[in-house]
Amino acid sequence: APTLPVNSSTPTWYALGRAFALNNPANSREAFIAYKNSINGGVGGSSCELQTNTWTSLGVLYAQQKQQMDALHSFVCALNCDSRNKAAWLNLGVLYERSEQWDDALICYKCALMAITGADDLGSGESVNSIDLDAILAQYNEKLGKFAHFLSDY
């Protein structure tokens, strides 16, 4: 497991998680631990941007490990912090696409495009802020099982 001083900063934990995740898939356990420490906040807590990046990276790692429900939870947590985060929307779209949920994937890709372009609407009448993230997550609440208690925290 990663061993940093207890007073390590949140950005340090995030960077360590990225290093473990990118360096070697066999290090996924260490990456999970580092991301968790980043989310829980090191010295000085963490900014919303860092929280969003950490949740998105954690979602990608879960998806690579074929843990789709955990990946979904992570992407939704990222979007709860920053509803205009293009990486979280794109990765959530990919997750839905792999599950053959085409309509949900299309909504996510539209939201990513709106985030990239800064548009509030792409002609569908649906804005990024009108997407009900709680409703998306509620669809999977039963499947999340032991992770459902995290929903109220983020």
Side-chain angles (χ1 to χ4, degrees):
T3 55
L4 287 176
V6 174
N7 63 351
S8 293
S9 69
T10 299
T12 301
W13 283 113
Y14 171 70
L16 184 62
R18 293 281 296 173
F20 278 126
L22 295 173
N23 186 33
N24 183 350
N27 290 332
S28 61
R29 181 178 179 277
E30 287 81 5
F32 283 121
I33 292 169
Y35 286 145
K36 179 184 173 197
N37 287 330
S38 177
I39 289 168
N40 290 336
V43 172
S46 64
S47 67
C48 188
E49 179 182 3
L50 183 59
Q51 285 276 327
T52 302
N53 291 340
T54 303
W55 278 115
T56 302
S57 296
L58 185 59
V60 169
L61 188 58
Y62 276 129
Q64 289 171 346
Q65 299 291 314
K66 307 286 189 237
Q67 294 176 256
Q68 310 310 2
M69 293 297 104
D70 296 327
L72 172 75
H73 175 254
S74 296
F75 295 137
V76 170
C77 285
L79 291 166
N80 277 331
C81 191
D82 178 7
S83 65
R84 297 190 70 86
N85 185 278
K86 57 189 170 277
W89 280 118
L90 286 170
N91 282 292
L92 184 57
V94 168
L95 189 68
Y96 279 133
E97 190 174 348
R98 287 183 179 159
S99 298
E100 298 182 2
Q101 295 177 270
W102 313 118
D103 292 339
D104 293 330
L106 183 59
I107 289 170
C108 292
Y109 293 143
K110 284 181 179 180
C111 288
L113 187 57
M114 286 188 286
I116 291 166
T117 63
D120 287 328
D121 188 348
L122 291 177
S124 66
E126 202 161 27
S127 71
V128 169
N129 293 326
S130 73
I131 303 298
D132 188 351
L133 296 173
D134 290 330
I136 291 171
L137 196 54
Q139 296 173 31
Y140 300 96
N141 198 19
E142 283 182 35
K143 295 178 184 176
L144 285 171
K146 64 182 179 179
F147 296 101
H149 69 278
F150 288 118
L151 301 180
S152 62
D153 296 337
Y154 299 101

